[in-house]
Amino acid sequence: MRFFFSFLLTALITGCSLSPLWAQDLAPRAYVITAVHSNAVTLTYSFYDGNILFDGAAPITDSSARISVPVFSLYHSLRLFGRSANIVAALPYGVGNYQGKVIGTQRQLYRSGLLDSTFRFAVNVHGGPAMDASEMRKWKQKTLVGLSLKVVAPTGQYDGTKLINFGANRWAFKPEVGLSRRWGHWVVDAYGGAWFYRANRDYFSPNQKLLNIQTQGPISSFEGHLSYDVRPRFWASLDGNFWFGGRTSVNGVENLNTLQRNSRVGATVSVPVNKHQSLKCSYSRGDYTHFGGDYHNLSVAWQYSWLGWPK
């Protein structure tokens, strides 16, 4: 246990922060519009398996994690000043097993509980007026430009006496601009945004006698997708992203080793089951990882969608 507490104190001094692995998931067709009052319920199961890279921020080697994350989300589209807009709310739950060598001693860790809830509001500013279902059937997409704001609320499980938590105990905001361009069966998506974080004022302290404040710098994020429509609602895409920044500080002391400079690549397939249901499967892996999780991710989602308000 002495080695374990040595690790905890070292991690506290260096300001090591394990942000959720799913923060930079790939999302093709995020700015494609739907008819006004379109609704969807989505159940997603994601499995993450891979290494956790500390890059000298903590005395941990041979570290890895296996995490299962079921997610329940709701989608609704609406009319905003004549433009197409939509809102998404998601509530994830995580079950994870971590292991690694702490100063040469093998350690294992189990966590389960709610993750931070996520809310996203998006509005089209070019190429996508608000339309009902009959208008949508006659409309052909060309170039779409949209704006979005994603908010992560600190509703996840968090304990200030533990270094690894599913909740981050802070608010996070991501404004983003997205472009979607169609050429026949092909669709190209490109997004650019940045994450901004509030301070965690109850950062890790093993005895709760110290008040530690952790802050994190902004993270710039870029994402691209190339997808092809096999037939209506049946499509496949190649996905990739890159993000940069996010150095952390504890009590004003910055840890230069926590700079993130990472990218992921993957693929997604969406298949209709019937008029209301569809299945989506995606896979991604770390392409280049400087600090954070070099992991594989496999996700399967079932979606039920309908048009109009419940009667």
Side-chain angles (χ1 to χ4, degrees), residues 23-109:
Q24 298 293 350
D25 279 353
L26 298 160
R29 304 199 175 196
Y31 289 87
V32 172
I33 67 173
T34 59
V36 173
H37 299 319
S38 294
N39 307 278
V41 174
T42 304
L43 299 178
T44 305
Y45 172 79
S46 292
F47 178 71
Y48 301 84
D49 181 19
N51 300 323
I52 301 173
L53 304 181
F54 291 90
D55 196 35
I60 303 176
T61 59
D62 299 329
S63 58
S64 63
R66 296 169 66 90
I67 304 173
S68 296
V69 182
V71 184
F72 174 78
S73 61
L74 293 172
Y75 168 93
H76 177 72
S77 65
L78 62 150
R79 187 188 308 268
L80 183 68
F81 301 111
R83 310 303 301 178
S84 176
N86 62 78
I87 186 168
V88 180
L91 182 64
Y93 187 92
V95 178
N97 291 279
Y98 304 82
Q99 63 178 355
K101 292 182 179 179
V102 182
I103 319 180
T105 302
Q106 186 70 29
R107 297 291 180 185
Q108 295 182 342
L109 185 66

Coordinates of all heavy atoms in Angstrom, one line a residue, residues 23-109:
A23 N -14.7 11.1 -25.0 CA -14.9 12.6 -25.3 C -14.7 12.9 -26.7 O -15.2 13.9 -27.2 CB -14.0 13.4 -24.4
Q24 N -13.9 12.1 -27.5 CA -13.6 12.5 -28.8 C -14.1 11.4 -29.8 O -13.4 11.1 -30.8 CB -12.1 12.7 -29.0 CG -11.5 13.8 -28.2 CD -12.0 15.2 -28.6 OE1 -12.6 15.3 -29.7 NE2 -11.7 16.2 -27.9
D25 N -15.3 10.9 -29.5 CA -15.9 9.9 -30.5 C -16.2 10.5 -31.8 O -16.4 11.7 -31.9 CB -17.2 9.3 -29.9 CG -16.9 8.2 -28.9 OD1 -15.7 7.8 -28.7 OD2 -17.8 7.8 -28.2
L26 N -16.2 9.7 -32.8 CA -16.5 10.2 -34.2 C -18.0 10.1 -34.5 O -18.6 9.2 -34.1 CB -15.7 9.3 -35.2 CG -14.2 9.3 -35.0 CD1 -13.6 8.1 -35.7 CD2 -13.6 10.6 -35.7
A27 N -18.5 11.2 -35.2 CA -19.9 11.3 -35.4 C -20.2 11.8 -36.8 O -20.3 13.0 -37.1 CB -20.5 12.3 -34.4
P28 N -20.3 10.8 -37.8 CA -20.6 11.2 -39.2 C -22.0 11.7 -39.3 O -22.9 11.4 -38.6 CB -20.4 9.9 -39.9 CG -20.6 8.8 -38.9 CD -20.1 9.4 -37.6
R29 N -22.2 12.6 -40.3 CA -23.5 13.2 -40.6 C -24.2 13.9 -39.5 O -25.4 13.9 -39.4 CB -24.4 12.1 -41.2 CG -23.8 11.4 -42.4 CD -24.8 10.6 -43.2 NE -24.1 10.1 -44.4 CZ -24.8 9.6 -45.5 NH1 -26.1 9.7 -45.5 NH2 -24.1 9.1 -46.5
A30 N -23.4 14.5 -38.7 CA -23.9 15.2 -37.5 C -24.7 16.5 -37.9 O -25.5 17.0 -37.1 CB -22.8 15.6 -36.5
Y31 N -24.5 17.0 -39.1 CA -25.1 18.3 -39.5 C -26.1 18.1 -40.6 O -26.7 19.0 -41.2 CB -24.1 19.3 -39.9 CG -23.4 19.8 -38.7 CD1 -22.2 19.2 -38.2 CD2 -23.8 20.9 -38.0 CE1 -21.5 19.6 -37.1 CE2 -23.1 21.4 -36.8 CZ -22.0 20.7 -36.4 OH -21.3 21.2 -35.3
V32 N -26.4 16.8 -41.0 CA -27.5 16.5 -42.0 C -28.8 16.8 -41.3 O -29.1 16.4 -40.2 CB -27.4 15.1 -42.5 CG1 -28.6 14.7 -43.3 CG2 -26.1 14.9 -43.3
I33 N -29.7 17.5 -42.0 CA -31.0 17.9 -41.4 C -32.1 16.8 -41.6 O -32.0 16.0 -42.4 CB -31.5 19.2 -41.9 CG1 -31.8 19.1 -43.4 CG2 -30.4 20.3 -41.7 CD1 -32.5 20.4 -44.0
T34 N -33.1 16.9 -40.7 CA -34.3 16.1 -40.8 C -35.5 17.0 -40.8 O -35.5 18.2 -40.6 CB -34.4 15.1 -39.6 OG1 -34.4 15.9 -38.4 CG2 -33.2 14.2 -39.6
A35 N -36.7 16.4 -41.1 CA -37.9 17.1 -41.2 C -38.3 17.7 -39.8 O -37.9 17.1 -38.7 CB -39.1 16.2 -41.7
V36 N -39.0 18.8 -39.7 CA -39.4 19.4 -38.4 C -40.3 18.4 -37.7 O -41.1 17.7 -38.2 CB -40.2 20.7 -38.7 CG1 -40.8 21.2 -37.4 CG2 -39.3 21.7 -39.3
H37 N -40.0 18.3 -36.4 CA -40.7 17.4 -35.4 C -40.3 15.9 -35.7 O -41.1 15.0 -35.4 CB -42.2 17.6 -35.5 CG -42.6 18.9 -35.1 ND1 -42.1 19.6 -34.0 CD2 -43.6 19.7 -35.6 CE1 -42.6 20.8 -33.9 NE2 -43.6 20.9 -34.8
S38 N -39.1 15.7 -36.2 CA -38.6 14.3 -36.2 C -38.1 14.0 -34.8 O -37.5 14.8 -34.1 CB -37.4 14.2 -37.2 OG -37.8 14.4 -38.6
N39 N -38.3 12.7 -34.4 CA -37.9 12.3 -33.1 C -37.2 10.9 -33.2 O -37.4 10.2 -34.1 CB -39.1 12.1 -32.2 CG -40.0 13.4 -32.2 OD1 -39.7 14.3 -31.4 ND2 -41.0 13.4 -33.0
A40 N -36.3 10.7 -32.3 CA -35.6 9.4 -32.2 C -35.2 9.1 -30.8 O -34.8 9.9 -30.1 CB -34.4 9.4 -33.2
V41 N -35.3 7.8 -30.5 CA -34.7 7.2 -29.3 C -33.6 6.3 -29.7 O -33.8 5.4 -30.6 CB -35.8 6.5 -28.5 CG1 -35.1 5.8 -27.3 CG2 -36.9 7.4 -28.0
T42 N -32.4 6.4 -29.1 CA -31.3 5.6 -29.5 C -30.7 4.9 -28.3 O -30.5 5.6 -27.2 CB -30.2 6.4 -30.2 OG1 -30.8 7.1 -31.3 CG2 -29.1 5.5 -30.7
L43 N -30.5 3.6 -28.4 CA -29.8 2.8 -27.4 C -28.5 2.4 -28.0 O -28.4 1.7 -29.0 CB -30.6 1.7 -26.9 CG -32.0 2.0 -26.3 CD1 -32.7 0.7 -25.9 CD2 -31.8 2.8 -25.0
T44 N -27.4 2.8 -27.3 CA -26.0 2.5 -27.9 C -25.2 1.7 -26.8 O -25.3 2.0 -25.6 CB -25.3 3.8 -28.2 OG1 -26.0 4.5 -29.1 CG2 -23.9 3.5 -28.8
Y45 N -24.5 0.7 -27.3 CA -23.6 0.0 -26.5 C -22.2 0.2 -27.1 O -21.9 -0.2 -28.2 CB -23.9 -1.5 -26.4 CG -22.8 -2.3 -25.7 CD1 -22.7 -2.2 -24.3 CD2 -21.8 -3.0 -26.4 CE1 -21.7 -2.9 -23.6 CE2 -20.8 -3.7 -25.7 CZ -20.7 -3.6 -24.3 OH -19.7 -4.3 -23.7
S46 N -21.2 0.8 -26.3 CA -19.9 1.0 -26.7 C -18.9 0.2 -25.8 O -19.1 0.2 -24.6 CB -19.5 2.5 -26.7 OG -20.3 3.2 -27.7
F47 N -17.9 -0.4 -26.5 CA -16.9 -1.1 -25.7 C -15.5 -0.5 -26.1 O -15.2 -0.4 -27.3 CB -16.9 -2.6 -26.1 CG -15.8 -3.4 -25.4 CD1 -15.9 -3.6 -24.0 CD2 -14.7 -3.9 -26.1 CE1 -14.9 -4.4 -23.4 CE2 -13.7 -4.6 -25.5 CZ -13.8 -4.9 -24.1
Y48 N -14.8 -0.1 -25.0 CA -13.5 0.5 -25.2 C -12.4 -0.5 -24.6 O -12.6 -0.9 -23.5 CB -13.4 1.8 -24.5 CG -14.4 2.8 -25.0 CD1 -15.7 2.8 -24.5 CD2 -14.1 3.8 -25.9 CE1 -16.7 3.8 -24.9 CE2 -15.0 4.7 -26.3 CZ -16.3 4.7 -25.8 OH -17.2 5.6 -26.3
D49 N -11.4 -0.7 -25.4 CA -10.3 -1.6 -24.9 C -9.0 -1.1 -25.4 O -8.8 -0.9 -26.6 CB -10.5 -3.0 -25.5 CG -9.5 -4.0 -25.0 OD1 -8.8 -3.7 -24.0 OD2 -9.4 -5.1 -25.7
G50 N -8.0 -0.8 -24.5 CA -6.8 -0.3 -25.0 C -5.9 0.2 -23.8 O -6.2 0.0 -22.6
N51 N -4.8 0.9 -24.2 CA -3.8 1.4 -23.3 C -4.2 2.8 -22.8 O -4.8 3.6 -23.5 CB -2.4 1.4 -23.9 CG -2.0 0.0 -24.3 OD1 -2.3 -1.0 -23.6 ND2 -1.3 -0.2 -25.4
I52 N -3.7 3.2 -21.6 CA -3.8 4.5 -21.2 C -2.3 5.1 -21.1 O -1.5 4.5 -20.4 CB -4.4 4.6 -19.7 CG1 -5.8 4.0 -19.8 CG2 -4.5 6.1 -19.3 CD1 -6.4 3.9 -18.4
L53 N -2.1 6.2 -21.9 CA -0.8 6.7 -22.0 C -0.6 7.9 -21.0 O -1.4 8.9 -21.1 CB -0.5 7.2 -23.4 CG -0.6 6.1 -24.5 CD1 -0.3 6.6 -25.9 CD2 0.2 4.9 -24.2
F54 N 0.3 7.8 -20.1 CA 0.6 8.9 -19.1 C 1.7 9.8 -19.6 O 1.8 11.0 -19.1 CB 0.9 8.3 -17.7 CG -0.3 7.7 -17.1 CD1 -0.6 6.3 -17.3 CD2 -1.2 8.4 -16.3 CE1 -1.7 5.7 -16.7 CE2 -2.3 7.8 -15.7 CZ -2.5 6.4 -16.0
D55 N 2.6 9.4 -20.5 CA 3.7 10.2 -21.0 C 4.5 10.9 -19.9 O 4.8 12.1 -20.0 CB 3.1 11.2 -22.0 CG 4.2 11.8 -22.8 OD1 5.2 11.1 -23.2 OD2 4.2 13.1 -23.1
G56 N 4.8 10.1 -18.8 CA 5.6 10.7 -17.7 C 4.8 11.5 -16.7 O 5.4 12.0 -15.8
A57 N 3.5 11.7 -16.9 CA 2.7 12.5 -16.0 C 2.5 11.8 -14.6 O 2.1 12.4 -13.6 CB 1.3 12.8 -16.6
A58 N 2.7 10.4 -14.6 CA 2.5 9.7 -13.4 C 3.4 8.4 -13.5 O 3.6 7.9 -14.6 CB 1.0 9.3 -13.1
P59 N 3.9 7.8 -12.4 CA 4.7 6.7 -12.5 C 4.0 5.4 -12.7 O 4.0 4.5 -11.9 CB 5.4 6.7 -11.1 CG 4.3 7.3 -10.2 CD 3.7 8.3 -11.0
I60 N 3.3 5.3 -13.8 CA 2.4 4.1 -14.2 C 2.9 3.6 -15.5 O 3.1 4.3 -16.5 CB 0.9 4.5 -14.2 CG1 0.5 5.2 -12.9 CG2 0.1 3.3 -14.5 CD1 -0.9 5.6 -13.0
T61 N 3.1 2.3 -15.6 CA 3.5 1.6 -16.8 C 2.5 0.4 -17.1 O 1.8 0.0 -16.2 CB 4.9 1.1 -16.7 OG1 5.0 0.2 -15.6 CG2 5.9 2.2 -16.5
D62 N 2.6 -0.1 -18.3 CA 1.7 -1.2 -18.7 C 0.3 -1.1 -18.3 O -0.4 -2.0 -17.8 CB 2.3 -2.5 -18.1 CG 3.7 -2.8 -18.6 OD1 4.0 -2.4 -19.7 OD2 4.5 -3.4 -17.8
S63 N -0.2 0.2 -18.5 CA -1.6 0.4 -18.0 C -2.6 0.2 -19.2 O -2.3 0.4 -20.3 CB -1.7 1.9 -17.6 OG -1.4 2.8 -18.6
S64 N -3.8 -0.3 -18.8 CA -4.8 -0.6 -19.8 C -6.2 -0.5 -19.2 O -6.3 -0.4 -17.9 CB -4.6 -2.0 -20.4 OG -4.8 -3.0 -19.4
A65 N -7.2 -0.4 -20.0 CA -8.6 -0.3 -19.5 C -9.5 -1.0 -20.5 O -9.3 -1.1 -21.7 CB -9.0 1.2 -19.4
R66 N -10.6 -1.6 -19.9 CA -11.7 -2.2 -20.7 C -13.0 -1.7 -20.1 O -13.3 -1.9 -18.9 CB -11.6 -3.8 -20.5 CG -10.4 -4.4 -21.1 CD -10.3 -5.9 -20.8 NE -11.3 -6.6 -21.4 CZ -11.3 -7.2 -22.5 NH1 -10.2 -7.1 -23.3 NH2 -12.3 -7.9 -23.0
I67 N -13.7 -0.9 -20.9 CA -14.8 -0.2 -20.4 C -16.0 -0.4 -21.3 O -16.0 -0.3 -22.5 CB -14.5 1.4 -20.4 CG1 -13.3 1.6 -19.5 CG2 -15.7 2.1 -19.8 CD1 -12.8 3.1 -19.6
S68 N -17.2 -0.7 -20.7 CA -18.4 -0.9 -21.4 C -19.3 0.3 -21.0 O -19.5 0.7 -19.9 CB -19.1 -2.2 -21.0 OG -18.4 -3.3 -21.3
V69 N -19.9 1.0 -22.1 CA -20.7 2.2 -21.9 C -22.0 2.1 -22.6 O -22.0 2.3 -23.9 CB -19.9 3.4 -22.3 CG1 -20.8 4.7 -22.1 CG2 -18.6 3.5 -21.7
P70 N -23.1 1.7 -22.0 CA -24.4 1.8 -22.6 C -24.9 3.3 -22.5 O -24.7 3.9 -21.5 CB -25.3 0.9 -21.8 CG -24.6 0.8 -20.5 CD -23.2 1.0 -20.7
V71 N -25.5 3.8 -23.6 CA -26.0 5.2 -23.6 C -27.4 5.2 -24.1 O -27.8 4.6 -25.1 CB -25.1 6.0 -24.6 CG1 -25.5 7.5 -24.5 CG2 -23.6 5.9 -24.3
F72 N -28.2 6.0 -23.4 CA -29.6 6.3 -23.8 C -29.7 7.7 -24.2 O -29.3 8.7 -23.5 CB -30.6 6.1 -22.6 CG -32.0 6.5 -22.9 CD1 -32.8 5.7 -23.6 CD2 -32.5 7.7 -22.4 CE1 -34.1 6.0 -23.9 CE2 -33.8 8.1 -22.6 CZ -34.6 7.2 -23.4
S73 N -30.2 8.0 -25.5 CA -30.3 9.3 -26.0 C -31.6 9.6 -26.6 O -32.3 8.7 -27.2 CB -29.1 9.6 -27.0 OG -29.2 8.7 -28.1
L74 N -32.0 10.9 -26.6 CA -33.2 11.4 -27.2 C -32.9 12.5 -28.2 O -32.0 13.3 -28.0 CB -34.2 11.9 -26.2 CG -34.8 11.0 -25.2 CD1 -35.5 11.7 -24.1 CD2 -35.7 10.0 -25.9
Y75 N -33.6 12.5 -29.4 CA -33.3 13.5 -30.4 C -34.7 14.1 -30.8 O -35.7 13.4 -30.9 CB -32.7 12.8 -31.7 CG -32.7 13.6 -32.9 CD1 -31.6 14.4 -33.2 CD2 -33.7 13.6 -33.8 CE1 -31.5 15.2 -34.4 CE2 -33.7 14.4 -35.0 CZ -32.6 15.2 -35.3 OH -32.6 15.9 -36.4
H76 N -34.7 15.4 -31.1 CA -35.9 16.1 -31.6 C -35.4 17.3 -32.4 O -34.5 18.0 -32.1 CB -36.7 16.6 -30.4 CG -37.9 17.4 -30.8 ND1 -39.0 16.8 -31.4 CD2 -38.2 18.7 -30.8 CE1 -39.9 17.7 -31.7 NE2 -39.4 18.9 -31.4
S77 N -36.1 17.4 -33.6 CA -35.8 18.5 -34.5 C -36.9 19.5 -34.4 O -38.1 19.2 -34.1 CB -35.7 18.0 -36.0 OG -36.9 17.5 -36.4
L78 N -36.6 20.8 -34.7 CA -37.5 21.9 -34.6 C -37.2 23.0 -35.5 O -36.2 22.9 -36.3 CB -37.5 22.4 -33.1 CG -36.2 23.0 -32.6 CD1 -36.5 24.1 -31.6 CD2 -35.3 21.9 -32.0
R79 N -38.1 24.0 -35.6 CA -38.0 25.1 -36.4 C -37.4 26.3 -35.6 O -38.0 26.6 -34.5 CB -39.3 25.5 -37.0 CG -39.3 26.6 -38.1 CD -40.7 27.0 -38.5 NE -41.5 25.8 -38.8 CZ -41.6 25.3 -40.1 NH1 -41.0 25.9 -41.1 NH2 -42.4 24.3 -40.3
L80 N -36.4 27.0 -36.0 CA -35.8 28.1 -35.3 C -35.6 29.2 -36.3 O -34.7 29.2 -37.1 CB -34.5 27.7 -34.6 CG -33.9 28.8 -33.8 CD1 -34.7 29.1 -32.5 CD2 -32.5 28.4 -33.4
F81 N -36.5 30.2 -36.3 CA -36.4 31.4 -37.2 C -36.3 30.9 -38.6 O -35.5 31.5 -39.4 CB -35.2 32.3 -36.8 CG -35.3 32.8 -35.4 CD1 -34.4 32.4 -34.5 CD2 -36.2 33.8 -35.1 CE1 -34.4 32.9 -33.2 CE2 -36.3 34.3 -33.8 CZ -35.4 33.9 -32.8
G82 N -37.1 29.9 -39.0 CA -37.1 29.5 -40.3 C -36.0 28.5 -40.7 O -36.0 28.0 -41.8
R83 N -35.1 28.2 -39.8 CA -34.0 27.3 -40.1 C -34.3 25.9 -39.4 O -34.9 25.9 -38.3 CB -32.7 27.8 -39.6 CG -32.4 29.2 -40.1 CD -32.4 29.4 -41.6 NE -31.5 28.5 -42.2 CZ -31.4 28.4 -43.6 NH1 -32.2 29.1 -44.4 NH2 -30.5 27.6 -44.1
S84 N -33.7 24.9 -39.9 CA -33.7 23.6 -39.2 C -32.8 23.5 -38.0 O -31.6 23.9 -38.1 CB -33.3 22.5 -40.3 OG -33.3 21.2 -39.7
A85 N -33.3 23.0 -36.9 CA -32.5 22.9 -35.7 C -32.9 21.6 -35.0 O -33.9 21.0 -35.3 CB -32.8 24.1 -34.8
N86 N -32.0 21.2 -34.1 CA -32.3 19.9 -33.4 C -31.6 20.0 -32.0 O -30.6 20.7 -31.8 CB -31.9 18.7 -34.2 CG -30.4 18.6 -34.4 OD1 -29.6 18.3 -33.6 ND2 -30.0 18.9 -35.7
I87 N -32.1 19.1 -31.1 CA -31.5 19.0 -29.8 C -31.4 17.5 -29.4 O -32.2 16.7 -29.8 CB -32.3 19.8 -28.7 CG1 -31.6 19.8 -27.4 CG2 -33.7 19.2 -28.6 CD1 -32.2 20.7 -26.4
V88 N -30.3 17.2 -28.8 CA -30.0 15.8 -28.4 C -29.6 15.8 -26.9 O -28.8 16.6 -26.5 CB -28.9 15.2 -29.2 CG1 -28.6 13.7 -28.8 CG2 -29.2 15.2 -30.7
A89 N -30.1 14.9 -26.2 CA -29.8 14.7 -24.8 C -29.3 13.2 -24.6 O -30.0 12.3 -25.1 CB -30.9 15.0 -23.8
A90 N -28.2 13.0 -23.9 CA -27.7 11.6 -23.8 C -27.3 11.4 -22.3 O -26.7 12.2 -21.7 CB -26.5 11.4 -24.7
L91 N -27.6 10.2 -21.8 CA -27.2 9.8 -20.5 C -26.5 8.4 -20.6 O -27.1 7.4 -20.9 CB -28.5 9.6 -19.6 CG -28.2 9.2 -18.2 CD1 -27.4 10.3 -17.4 CD2 -29.5 9.0 -17.4
P92 N -25.2 8.4 -20.3 CA -24.4 7.2 -20.4 C -24.1 6.6 -19.0 O -24.2 7.3 -18.0 CB -23.1 7.7 -21.0 CG -22.9 9.1 -20.6 CD -24.3 9.6 -20.3
Y93 N -23.9 5.3 -19.0 CA -23.5 4.6 -17.8 C -22.2 3.7 -18.1 O -22.1 3.2 -19.2 CB -24.6 3.7 -17.3 CG -24.4 3.0 -16.0 CD1 -24.8 3.6 -14.8 CD2 -23.7 1.8 -15.9 CE1 -24.6 3.0 -13.6 CE2 -23.5 1.2 -14.7 CZ -23.9 1.8 -13.5 OH -23.7 1.2 -12.3
G94 N -21.3 3.7 -17.2 CA -20.0 3.0 -17.5 C -19.7 1.9 -16.5 O -20.0 2.0 -15.3
V95 N -19.1 0.8 -17.0 CA -18.5 -0.3 -16.2 C -17.1 -0.5 -16.7 O -16.9 -0.9 -17.9 CB -19.4 -1.5 -16.3 CG1 -18.7 -2.6 -15.4 CG2 -20.8 -1.3 -15.8
G96 N -16.1 -0.3 -15.9 CA -14.7 -0.3 -16.3 C -13.8 -1.1 -15.4 O -14.0 -1.1 -14.2
N97 N -12.8 -1.7 -16.0 CA -11.7 -2.4 -15.3 C -10.4 -1.8 -15.8 O -10.1 -1.8 -17.0 CB -11.7 -3.9 -15.5 CG -12.9 -4.6 -14.9 OD1 -12.9 -4.8 -13.7 ND2 -14.0 -4.8 -15.7
Y98 N -9.6 -1.3 -14.9 CA -8.3 -0.7 -15.2 C -7.2 -1.6 -14.5 O -7.4 -2.1 -13.4 CB -8.2 0.7 -14.6 CG -9.3 1.7 -15.1 CD1 -10.5 1.7 -14.5 CD2 -9.0 2.5 -16.1 CE1 -11.5 2.5 -14.9 CE2 -10.0 3.4 -16.5 CZ -11.3 3.4 -15.9 OH -12.2 4.3 -16.4
Q99 N -6.0 -1.6 -15.1 CA -4.9 -2.2 -14.5 C -3.6 -1.6 -15.0 O -3.6 -0.9 -16.0 CB -4.9 -3.7 -14.8 CG -4.7 -4.0 -16.3 CD -4.6 -5.6 -16.5 OE1 -4.6 -6.3 -15.6 NE2 -4.6 -5.9 -17.8
G100 N -2.6 -1.7 -14.2 CA -1.3 -1.1 -14.5 C -0.3 -1.3 -13.4 O -0.6 -1.8 -12.3
K101 N 1.0 -1.1 -13.7 CA 2.0 -1.2 -12.7 C 2.3 0.2 -12.1 O 2.7 1.1 -12.8 CB 3.3 -1.8 -13.3 CG 3.1 -3.2 -13.8 CD 4.4 -3.8 -14.3 CE 4.3 -5.3 -14.7 NZ 5.5 -5.8 -15.3
V102 N 2.2 0.3 -10.8 CA 2.5 1.5 -10.1 C 3.8 1.4 -9.4 O 3.9 0.6 -8.4 CB 1.4 1.8 -9.1 CG1 1.6 3.2 -8.4 CG2 0.0 1.8 -9.8
I103 N 4.8 2.0 -9.9 CA 6.2 1.9 -9.4 C 6.6 0.4 -9.3 O 7.1 0.0 -8.3 CB 6.4 2.6 -8.1 CG1 5.6 4.0 -8.0 CG2 7.9 2.9 -7.8 CD1 5.8 4.7 -6.7
G104 N 6.3 -0.3 -10.4 CA 6.6 -1.7 -10.5 C 5.7 -2.7 -9.8 O 5.9 -3.9 -10.0
T105 N 4.7 -2.2 -9.1 CA 3.7 -3.1 -8.5 C 2.4 -3.1 -9.2 O 1.8 -2.1 -9.5 CB 3.4 -2.6 -7.0 OG1 4.7 -2.5 -6.3 CG2 2.5 -3.5 -6.3
Q106 N 1.9 -4.3 -9.6 CA 0.7 -4.5 -10.4 C -0.5 -4.1 -9.5 O -0.7 -4.5 -8.4 CB 0.6 -5.9 -10.8 CG -0.6 -6.2 -11.8 CD -0.4 -5.5 -13.1 OE1 0.7 -5.4 -13.6 NE2 -1.5 -5.2 -13.8
R107 N -1.4 -3.3 -10.1 CA -2.6 -2.8 -9.4 C -3.8 -3.0 -10.4 O -3.6 -2.8 -11.6 CB -2.5 -1.4 -9.0 CG -1.4 -1.1 -8.0 CD -1.7 -1.7 -6.6 NE -0.7 -1.5 -5.7 CZ -0.7 -2.0 -4.4 NH1 -1.7 -2.7 -4.0 NH2 0.3 -1.7 -3.6
Q108 N -4.9 -3.2 -9.8 CA -6.2 -3.3 -10.6 C -7.2 -2.5 -9.9 O -7.2 -2.2 -8.7 CB -6.7 -4.8 -10.6 CG -5.7 -5.7 -11.4 CD -6.2 -7.1 -11.5 OE1 -7.1 -7.5 -10.7 NE2 -5.7 -7.9 -12.4
L109 N -8.2 -2.0 -10.8 CA -9.2 -1.0 -10.3 C -10.5 -1.3 -11.1 O -10.5 -1.5 -12.3 CB -8.7 0.4 -10.5 CG -9.6 1.5 -10.0 CD1 -9.6 1.5 -8.5 CD2 -9.1 2.9 -10.5

